[in-house]
Amino acid sequence: MNNEVKIFCPATVANVNCGFDALGFALEGIGDEMVFRKVPQPGVVITKITGEDLPMEATKNVAGVAAIAMLEGEALDFGIEIEIHKKIRCGSGIGSSAASAAGAVFGINQFLKTPISPLELTHYAMKGEALASGHEHADNVAPCLYGGTTLITGYDPFRITALPPMDHLFVGILHPHIKIATKDARAILPKEVPLKDAITQAQKLAGFVTSLYEWDKTLFAESLQDLLIEPHRKQLIPHFDAIKEISIAEGCIAFGISGSGPSLFCFAFAKAHIDNYLATSKTYYMSKGLEVDTYSSRVSGQGCYVL
Ligand code: HSE
């Protein structure tokens, strides 16, 4: 068996407006690369990080923490060296920490005679995610490992449902160059929500899932609404309302905060709508003195994969 493997770990969009801490999807063509070496000495050593200034010490690095959790949890009798090549900006809201955490466990899995399941991998990856956000949430690591669109249908017992493909949709990602730490974006959320909003939000998530199984375009677009989180987090994102208006004017069918932001995602039925929206929003942000990155993407059916 080869003792070295190189992988790709995709960026992901979590929450997707109607499923806070539950819903997420993988993006096509945006992601990190990682290299793993199986070594006889036990433990995890991070040998190289490019693209971002992140801790080399395994216990302080999300990939390191996820890898340690898996080596210990599975009682594996070997050690791992990891190279991390970050392409997803930290604090961008498209699953940067999740890509590292999910990549770590996916990489180790390649060396097992009997690989463990995506559900078990997600369990270990969440340990790394918790280092970044202070909370074990799986809505980024699950789609990063499974690909496509995933719904966390329970944390105790832990259950993940892979939803029908959304690969016919076009996705735009706009990343204004400010950093939002997930921990901070969680800290501003209220501990309690009004019952009527909780009921409407449950209907939106149910409507979203139904729309995918029945492919009901109208229900899909109507369901992608966020009553609970967006009203609090949008204040962290400059010009949120103006960019939302641009997305509607350019023909996008849904718009919202990707994960904890600041990236914004939108869906459209045609690539031209996404490209026009990204161009107009970029011009708008630049007129306000803010740099942005834009990505025209799709929902990827693939999670992490070996290169
Ligand atoms: N569900 C998490 C949150 C995702 O919004 O805090 C973080 O990327």
Side-chain angles (χ1 to χ4, degrees), residues 51-98:
E52 286 282 357
D53 187 17
L54 291 167
M56 295 290 286
E57 202 177 317
T59 55
K60 294 185 176 151
N61 181 295
V62 294
V65 169
I68 292 167
M70 181 164 168
L71 289 180
E72 289 180 357
E74 297 298 310
L76 300 177
D77 62 355
F78 58 86
I80 284 290
E81 290 180 359
I82 309 178
E83 285 181 23
I84 305 167
H85 301 286
K86 295 299 293 177
K87 309 273 167 61
I88 312 170
R89 298 270 74 84
C90 292
S92 60
I94 49 170
S96 181
S97 55

Side-chain angles (χ1 to χ4, degrees), residues 14-15 20-21 137 139-140 182 186 233 259-260:
N15 301 336
F20 181 66
D21 276 359
H137 59 91
D139 47 343
N140 286 106
T182 299
R186 295 183 82 87
R233 284 187 172 169
S260 56

